[in-house]
Amino acid sequence: MQYLVMIYTDDALLGALPEGEFDTLMHGCFKHADELQEQGHLHYSQQLEAPTTAKTLRVRNDRMTVVDGPFAETKEYLGGFNLIEADSMDEAVRIAAEFPWSRTGAIEIRPVRDMAAVRRRVGA
């Protein structure tokens, strides 16, 4: 059976870490992820950019609205995800608008962080 493990972050707690501690934690995280992959437990992992880089779109009565940032109503829940390739946020919004789920909930579009660059930076 597969499980989605979602990582939620508190920027206030991250910001309170001593200098260099984030990179140390990320280095350890990458090493552990590599071990889990070797053991067959981890299939894929990815970081997202900050919520301030996100857009959320909804379509109601054939009218599309796009707002800055993540914005889910309390009755909405994460039902799945798609990883897409786009040249810009505008193109990503256009592609996401083609999915029908914006009519029954919301679609958050957020850039994926370049994990290879983070790995290089933390020496993992």
Side-chain angles (χ1 to χ4, degrees), residues 53-103:
T53 67
K55 302 241 183 239
T56 300
L57 74 89
R58 286 182 176 75
V59 175
R60 300 293 186 271
N61 299 318
D62 293 324
R63 185 172 164 261
M64 183 173 76
T65 58
V66 179
V67 296
D68 289 337
F71 182 75
E73 300 289 342
T74 56
K75 61 189 170 225
E76 296 171 344
Y77 59 89
L78 180 63
F81 69 94
N82 294 278
L83 183 63
I84 64 169
E85 187 76 29
D87 291 329
S88 66
M89 176 60 88
D90 289 340
E91 183 182 26
V93 169
R94 183 191 59 72
I95 292 168
E98 296 170 2
F99 291 98
W101 314 118
S102 61
R103 289 163 178 77

Side-chain angles (χ1 to χ4, degrees), residues 6 14 16 25 46 59 90 108 122:
M6 296 171 282
L14 281 177
L25 291 171
Q46 191 62 58
V59 175
D90 289 340
E108 180 183 336
V122 303

